[in-house]
Amino acid sequence: MQGQGAHTGDGEDQIVVRNVGALAGTVDVPGAKNSVLKLMAATILADGVHELSNVPNIVDVTIMGELLAAIGIESDLAESGRLTLVNRGELTPVAPYELVERIRASVNVLGPLLTRCGRVRLSMPGGDDFGARPIDLHVAGLEAMGAQFKFSHGELEATAERLHGAEISFEFPSVGATENLVTAAVLADGRTTIDNAAREPEVVDLCTYLVAMGAEIEGVGTSRLTVYGVPRDALRAASHETVPDRIQAATYLAALAVSGGELLVRDARPEHMANLLGRFSEMGLELTPVRGGLHAAAAGRMRSIDVQTLPYPGIATDYKPLVITMLSVADDVGIVTENLYPGRFRYVEELSRLGADIRTDGHHAVVRGVPRLSGAPVRAHDIRAGAAMVVAGLAAEGETVISGVRHIDRGYDDLVGRLRSVGAAIERVSSDSSS
Ligand code: UD1
């Protein structure tokens, strides 16, 4: 894929942050990474020229573009955030290891390739490094629809002459499995129902796009999805605007909470983050939905709260590093419980380097707020933890130097520029100038 001005993510850049007090101004929320990657994978279903708008300029989009290019779909990202994808109908249903290992969302080509081509070969997916991330629910659902799987040497091979409808009930509302099965069911023979389906705004975004292509889906946004399979020639390429990124919106709110000040978070969708916003209000953020976004103001120290992560509409696990960072400088003690990924506390060690007082025990983190953190070198281990380090740097006296910036580049479209534009003292230092 040719991206204009896309980051390569290959350098050893660092981000340097200092606390300089209140933020003020307007920050735009780009399209959601966790939606656009799935929208891109869905273009496998229909021949023609697809157009996605509000596409963030992030490394994961570039990697997904490369994966689709290997499969046979060319894409081009314009500076305006418009991504054009051309599916000429000549597809190779193989997802090579060197691309799959880099992003978890590459597993989202499984459903579309299988239903479209009748077979697929895929390396086991990679992505963020936070514990085992199995795909048993994806596999069991596709098997119920008639697929046959073989696993060998970290690769899976699936075949199905034509998938057929099935009644599927998830033990757990997996985002990725819901997306894969809905997409596969679009071209299956007959009706597929998915109970206990994930309801995340990004799942809704994908379903909306599939419907624009000609898919027949009922129950979008609920935990019971019904998909009526259509023949291949009933689908056509479509245009779609990517839903704004609720995790990035939360990142700017967290930055405000530790810095003080006032922000207009433009294009934030308060209705997609209602639970989180309720909790942020309890902590002391003043939040007002306005036309086209969310107005937020922060004065004084935030109050501690207890939080647990849950599938949507609960508090997303991806918000957690931000919440823990906010709690680390809040007044009193907060307990955070992780219900999705037990191993996802790695960044706590880094926060401790900045003076945070956090104790983890199994799925829980007990965070005793301190008045201020103090700057130090820290490392970003994954996308959201990286953003949390930036927020922590805003809450720290002195200089915080963040390495592992390539993780942030995977999911954040110009985090540094956006924060600078509202008054943060933050810069990206290239390996050349820092050596
Ligand atoms: C997506 C998001 C990720 C977010 C997560 C939960 C993308 C690219 N990533 O990941 O940022 O943190 O949703 O909101 O959109 N599980 C199984 N078997 C499966 C599938 C999942 O046991 O077959 C488990 C996982 O190990 C995990 C939990 O279910 O404990 C949540 O996984 P899932 O909802 O599938 O998350 P992802 O789609 O991988």
Side-chain angles (χ1 to χ4, degrees):
M1 182 177 78
Q2 291 161 17
Q4 294 184 13
H7 310 295
T8 64
D10 291 328
E12 286 297 321
D13 290 5
Q14 294 177 321
I15 292 176
V16 182
V17 198
R18 276 180 304 116
N19 172 284
V20 284
L23 304 180
T26 299
V27 65
D28 291 319
V29 180
K33 168 184 91 76
N34 284 354
S35 185
V36 74
L37 301 176
K38 319 334 174 32
L39 301 174
M40 291 173 74
T43 64
I44 289 169
L45 291 180
D47 294 359
V49 181
H50 297 257
E51 284 207 332
L52 301 176
S53 54
N54 199 28
V55 171
N57 186 8
I58 55 176
V59 170
D60 274 14
V61 166
T62 308
I63 299 172
M64 185 55 105
E66 288 170 16
L67 176 56
L68 290 177
I71 288 166
I73 296 175
E74 291 302 323
S75 58
D76 183 61
L77 178 61
E79 203 137 10
S80 60
R82 183 171 290 271
L83 180 65
T84 309
L85 300 107
V86 184
N87 181 343
R88 295 199 169 81
E90 288 155 21
L91 304 178
T92 309
V94 177
Y97 173 76
E98 59 280 10
L99 296 169
V100 171
E101 62 138 4
R102 295 178 65 187
I103 48 170
R104 167 78 178 171
S106 51
V107 75
N108 277 71
V109 301
L110 175 61
L113 278 179
L114 183 59
T115 203
R116 169 75 204 255
C117 304
R119 66 199 161 88
V120 52
R121 223 169 71 216
L122 178 88
S123 297
M124 299 304 271
D128 279 323
D129 176 22
F130 43 83
R133 299 178 80 176
I135 57 164
D136 52 309
L137 297 172
H138 305 235
V139 170
L142 291 170
E143 279 177 342
M145 297 171 76
Q148 294 191 320
F149 280 82
K150 272 196 241 155
F151 298 89
S152 61
H153 309 295
E155 229 185 44
L156 72 77
E157 215 177 316
T159 48
E161 187 77 8
R162 185 176 178 197
L163 294 171
H164 55 72
E167 290 188 4
I168 293 157
S169 180
F170 285 138
E171 246 171 68
F172 177 89
S174 156
V175 172
T178 301
E179 292 166 338
N180 247 332
L181 296 188
V182 167
T183 319
V186 164
L187 289 178
D189 186 15
R191 188 182 83 149
T192 301
T193 53
I194 306 173
D195 275 308
N196 202 15
R199 292 180 282 162
E200 271 71 359
E202 296 76 23
V203 176
V204 172
D205 207 33
L206 173 65
C207 290
T208 309
Y209 180 44
L210 293 172
V211 168
M213 277 192 224
E216 292 182 20
I217 308 175
E218 285 173 3
V220 174
T222 73
S223 52
R224 181 178 166 85
L225 291 169
T226 305
V227 185
Y228 299 92
V230 298
R232 215 167 96 183
D233 59 9
L235 294 188
R236 59 205 168 263
S239 300
H240 181 81
E241 184 175 334
T242 313
V243 70
D245 193 323
R246 59 200 167 103
I247 317 289
Q248 294 202 46
T251 304
Y252 296 109
L253 295 177
L256 178 73
V258 302
S259 308
E262 268 185 61
L263 286 183
L264 171 63
V265 187
R266 197 154 52 195
D267 293 335
R269 295 272 180 87
E271 69 276 21
H272 290 170
M273 39 198 317
N275 267 319
L276 181 79
L277 297 184
R279 306 313 307 279
F280 278 2
S281 300
E282 279 174 52
M283 291 184 79
L285 271 177
E286 275 177 44
L287 301 168
T288 319
V290 292
R291 230 180 128 85
L294 180 67
H295 181 269
R301 202 169 166 193
M302 296 288 117
R303 293 180 289 277
S304 292
I305 53 166
D306 296 338
V307 177
Q308 61 169 322
T309 64
L310 284 170
Y312 191 82
I315 308 282
T317 181
D318 289 359
Y319 294 133
K320 196 186 56 189
L322 299 166
V323 172
I324 290 193
T325 305
M326 287 163 69
L327 289 173
S328 69
V329 288
D331 191 6
D332 218 340
V333 181
I335 299 174
V336 178
T337 302
E338 169 64 64
N339 291 313
L340 279 88
Y341 297 104
R344 217 177 180 186
F345 277 122
R346 212 168 147 196
Y347 52 90
V348 161
E349 248 172 67
E350 305 293 323
L351 287 173
S352 303
R353 294 170 61 84
L354 299 174
D357 181 352
I358 307 171
R359 209 160 32 80
T360 58
D361 183 7
H363 293 200
H364 309 285
V366 180
V367 190
R368 271 170 222 285
V370 297
R372 271 255 162 269
L373 301 178
S374 55
V378 287
R379 175 162 286 277
H381 292 291
D382 68 52
I383 303 176
R384 308 303 170 192
M389 291 304 129
V390 169
V391 173
L394 291 172
E397 297 287 358
E399 211 170 73
T400 297
V401 181
I402 301 156
S403 54
V405 170
R406 65 180 187 285
H407 292 291
I408 299 174
D409 291 340
R410 283 190 45 206
Y412 281 85
D413 182 339
D414 197 16
L415 179 63
V416 169
R418 282 180 158 81
L419 284 171
R420 267 168 87 101
S421 75
V422 291
I426 178 167
E427 60 183 328
R428 185 176 179 122
V429 184
S430 80
S431 39
D432 304 339
S433 54
S434 64
S435 59

